[in-house]
């Protein structure tokens, strides 16, 4: 009888744990009904002021989720005694939009003190950024809590780099329970934003699977010598760099991917069919992208009593 009671208790605890980990689109409906409208207004203003900011906020959400889950750990500032994700190679002198998130957090705190997590703000801001640039909307699931630590080493091992081949990209996404279709769809976020010369130099000088005219057009602003013009920018989608659409995939079919990792998605491998599908159908891309964003937003969220609701996104309470 005792063992049966223990079994029942174990089942109940497991059910409670599963329920705690469940995100919900209505999480703030009662506790902070104005949260989403406050975030949307601030994001729209920021993107209208600088269209590139939409891409930066989308990228920040991605970089957050791929490292120990969607927990706002990427927002924790490096200090003299603490080196977190911001100091990692994929993020250092590259991630941007922190002041925009800080501004949004301040506005949200003004309407609901210590209620809305920075992790949820990032997730909603990514969605609102895409919408502000003409892209599709989706229902963001909410209820994440914020991490109290960040890992530089995990950021350097888990984030996909611009020089990876398809096999390594596929494995990194599989590690997060994202499949090849998700990989291609999420990479479509590169239909907006820009990249630094240091991230695409090898591709435009050394790769053969790139349109020669396209490569030449980039070389003038990205010298071959490392250390020269490293931070010079080029649009990830030269056709429509500030509009969220499916031009990125049309570019790949024409061998005009800016990054080596971009063009790897259309290079005779398992991702080719998805690229062709998204290049020929904007609706197919939108559908796959929104589904993949929801999946990505559900990577290992901290819920229930885990973590905390940070008052300031850049530091632990």
């Amino acid at each position: 009888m005792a063992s049966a009671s223990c079994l029942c208790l174990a089942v109940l605890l497991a059910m409670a744990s599963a329920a705690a980990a469940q995100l919900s689109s209505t999480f703030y409906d009662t506790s902070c009904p104005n949260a989403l409208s406050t975030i949307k207004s601030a994001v729209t203003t920021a993107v209208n002021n600088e269209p590139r900011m939409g891409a930066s906020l989308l990228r920040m959400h991605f970089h957050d989720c791929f490292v120990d889950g969607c927990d706002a750990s990427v927002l924790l500032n490096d200090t003299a005694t603490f080196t977190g994700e911001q100091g990692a190679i994929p993020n250092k002198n590259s991630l941007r939009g922190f002041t925009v998130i800080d501004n949004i957090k301040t506005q949200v705190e003004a309407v609901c003190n210590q209620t809305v997590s920075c992790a949820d703000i990032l997730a909603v801001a990514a969605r609102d950024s895409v919408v502000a640039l003409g892209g599709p909307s989706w229902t963001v699931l909410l209820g994440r809590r914020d991490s109290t630590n960040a890992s530089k080493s995990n950021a350097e091992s888990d984030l996909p780099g611009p020089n990876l081949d398809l096999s390594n990209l596929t494995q990194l996404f599989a590690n997060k329970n994202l499949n090849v279709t998700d990989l291609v769809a999420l990479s479509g976020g590169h239909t907006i934003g820009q990249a630094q010369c240091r991230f695409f130099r090898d591709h435009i000088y050394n790769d053969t699977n790139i349109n020669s005219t396209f490569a030449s057009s980039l070389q003038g602003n990205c010298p071959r010598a490392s250390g020269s013009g490293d931070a010079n920018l080029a649009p990830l989608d030269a056709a429509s760099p500030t509009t969220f659409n499916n031009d990125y995939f049309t570019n790949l079919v024409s061998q005009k991917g800016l990054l080596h990792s971009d063009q790897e998605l259309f290079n005779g491998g398992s991702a080719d069919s998805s690229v062709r599908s998204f290049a020929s159908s904007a609706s197919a891309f939108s559908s796959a992208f929104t589904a993949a964003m929801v999946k990505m937003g559900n990577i290992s969220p901290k819920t229930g009593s885990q973590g905390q609701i940070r008052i300031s996104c850049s530091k632990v309470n």
Side-chain angles (χ1 to χ4, degrees):
M1 196 72 173
S3 62
S5 298
C6 288
L7 180 61
C8 289
L9 178 60
V11 170
L12 287 172
L13 287 173
M15 290 173 65
S17 176
Q22 190 67 41
L23 302 179
S24 165
S25 61
T26 60
F27 190 82
Y28 296 113
D29 282 9
T30 301
S31 62
C32 192
N34 293 321
L36 297 191
S37 60
T38 301
I39 297 169
K40 184 177 181 65
S41 176
V43 169
T44 302
T45 297
V47 174
N48 285 343
N49 288 339
E50 184 199 359
R52 184 188 172 203
M53 186 52 67
S56 298
L57 295 177
L58 175 61
R59 181 173 184 246
M60 193 183 296
H61 176 47
F62 177 92
H63 279 227
D64 180 36
C65 290
F66 257 64
V67 184
D68 301 325
C70 309
D71 60 3
S73 53
V74 73
L75 298 176
L76 289 173
N77 280 348
D78 291 347
T79 65
T81 57
F82 168 77
T83 302
E85 294 171 33
Q86 292 183 17
I89 293 171
N91 295 330
K92 190 174 183 181
N93 300 322
S94 174
L95 273 191
R96 57 196 302 276
F98 297 107
T99 56
V100 171
I101 295 298
D102 287 343
N103 177 51
I104 295 172
K105 178 62 171 174
T106 298
Q107 293 184 45
V108 171
E109 284 293 307
V111 295
C112 308
N113 179 250
Q114 207 169 351
T115 302
V116 182
S117 69
C118 298
D120 278 346
I121 288 175
L122 265 185
V124 175
R127 188 268 312 273
D128 293 344
S129 291
V130 169
V131 172
L133 292 174
S137 185
W138 61 93
T139 300
V140 178
L141 301 179
L142 304 163
R144 301 168 190 80
R145 288 170 65 86
D146 299 326
S147 173
T148 56
N149 54 63
S151 171
K152 179 176 183 285
S153 60
N154 287 353
E156 292 182 341
S157 64
D158 290 4
L159 286 169
N163 296 315
L164 291 185
D165 61 19
L166 181 60
S167 175
N168 284 307
L169 289 169
T170 301
Q171 185 59 58
L172 283 178
F173 276 70
N175 292 344
K176 308 300 179 184
N177 294 316
L178 297 169
N179 59 35
V180 173
T181 303
D182 299 323
L183 159 62
V184 178
L186 290 171
S187 296
H190 285 179
T191 185
I192 51 177
Q194 302 183 64
Q196 297 179 24
C197 165
R198 62 191 172 110
F199 294 132
F200 60 84
R201 175 182 282 120
D202 285 347
H203 182 50
I204 65 173
Y205 284 104
N206 299 324
D207 286 347
T208 57
N209 61 339
I210 183 171
N211 178 284
S212 58
T213 302
F214 176 65
S216 296
S217 71
L218 292 162
Q219 290 170 2
N221 195 43
C222 184
R224 184 188 291 270
S226 178
S228 178
D230 282 4
N232 291 352
L233 297 170
L236 287 155
D237 169 10
S240 51
T242 59
T243 301
F244 197 98
N245 56 28
N246 65 332
D247 283 349
Y248 168 81
F249 299 103
T250 306
N251 296 340
L252 295 187
V253 173
S254 302
Q255 292 193 314
K256 295 180 180 178
L258 182 65
L259 306 177
H260 175 86
S261 55
D262 288 327
Q263 198 57 58
E264 277 290 296
L265 302 181
F266 191 79
N267 195 36
S270 60
D272 281 18
S273 59
S274 292
V275 171
R276 280 203 173 93
S277 171
F278 298 157
S280 62
S281 172
S283 62
F285 167 49
S286 291
S287 177
F289 178 80
T290 55
M293 285 298 293
V294 173
K295 285 178 69 174
M296 187 186 78
N298 205 34
I299 297 175
S300 305
K302 290 174 173 59
T303 57
S305 60
Q306 298 172 318
Q308 61 181 213
I309 305 297
R310 284 190 229 136
I311 299 171
S312 170
C313 289
S314 63
K315 61 184 180 181
V316 175
N317 294 344

